[in-house]
Amino acid sequence: MSNYKATVTWKRETNDFNYETFDRTHQIEFGGGIKCQASSAPEYLGKANLVNPEELLASALASCHMLTFLAVASKSRLNVKSYSDQAVATLDKNAEGKLCVTKITLQPKVVFEGNEKVPFEKVQELHAKAHKHCFIANSISAKVAIEPLN
């Protein structure tokens, strides 16, 4: 078993605590010491220039999928030169009518080393295997769509 820490802190800087005006800016400190400022999404009165929880969830899934894909490709002796992804988290109501991230779409683009021509079907197979073994994908109930751009 492994544990991974993130510390979230927020402090009110004003006299009032009004829903429409309270500042949603907070700090997240990760186990390795990296800190970032975050807020709620602008639609929920947060700051657009700061990361929000929905983006963090999308990035966690995209990062985990990428790392798992790289491991699978490496074990398959396929040399990946670069990998990029445009992850999108969709916030909607679930079957119970509650707002939640119902879907995360990954759009990975993989470039293989040199003249290595990897068939699209093989790339899809690698993504399927990566998805099956991705820790974050196995931890969420949102639908995950993987739409490779290769």
Side-chain angles (χ1 to χ4, degrees):
M1 181 175 80
S2 302
N3 292 306
Y4 304 93
K5 284 183 152 184
T7 302
V8 176
T9 55
W10 174 88
K11 183 177 180 186
R12 190 177 76 212
E13 303 281 335
T14 60
N15 290 332
D16 70 328
F17 188 57
N18 182 301
Y19 177 80
E20 287 77 25
T21 60
F22 80 83
D23 187 9
R24 283 127 170 101
T25 303
H26 56 281
Q27 181 172 283
I28 303 171
E29 182 173 356
F30 298 94
I34 297 290
K35 297 177 185 178
C36 73
Q37 282 196 313
S39 184
S40 58
E43 298 85 354
Y44 301 95
L45 306 175
K47 295 181 180 175
N49 64 323
L50 298 178
V51 67
N52 63 60
E54 297 80 12
E55 291 170 331
L56 287 167
L57 180 60
S59 70
L61 176 67
S63 177
C64 185
H65 181 86
M66 178 198 69
L67 292 168
T68 308
F69 180 93
L70 294 175
V72 168
S74 177
K75 289 182 177 185
S76 297
R77 305 222 186 282
L78 294 170
N79 297 309
V80 176
K81 183 176 181 181
S82 66
Y83 182 110
S84 61
D85 194 351
Q86 179 68 46
V88 177
T90 301
L91 190 66
D92 202 352
K93 289 187 178 178
N94 64 13
E96 292 84 39
K98 294 180 182 180
L99 274 177
C100 66
V101 174
T102 56
K103 180 179 180 181
I104 301 174
T105 303
L106 304 180
Q107 294 183 314
K109 179 166 178 49
V110 182
V111 176
F112 293 92
E113 192 68 45
N115 295 328
E116 196 168 359
K117 300 295 182 204
V118 179
F120 186 69
E121 294 76 24
K122 179 65 176 176
V123 174
Q124 286 182 305
E125 178 187 311
L126 295 171
H127 281 298
K129 192 169 187 180
H131 178 65
K132 179 181 176 184
H133 296 286
C134 172
F135 306 152
I136 302 301
N138 290 330
S139 302
I140 63 173
S141 62
K143 177 184 175 191
V144 177
I146 302 167
E147 302 169 355
L149 297 177
N150 300 52

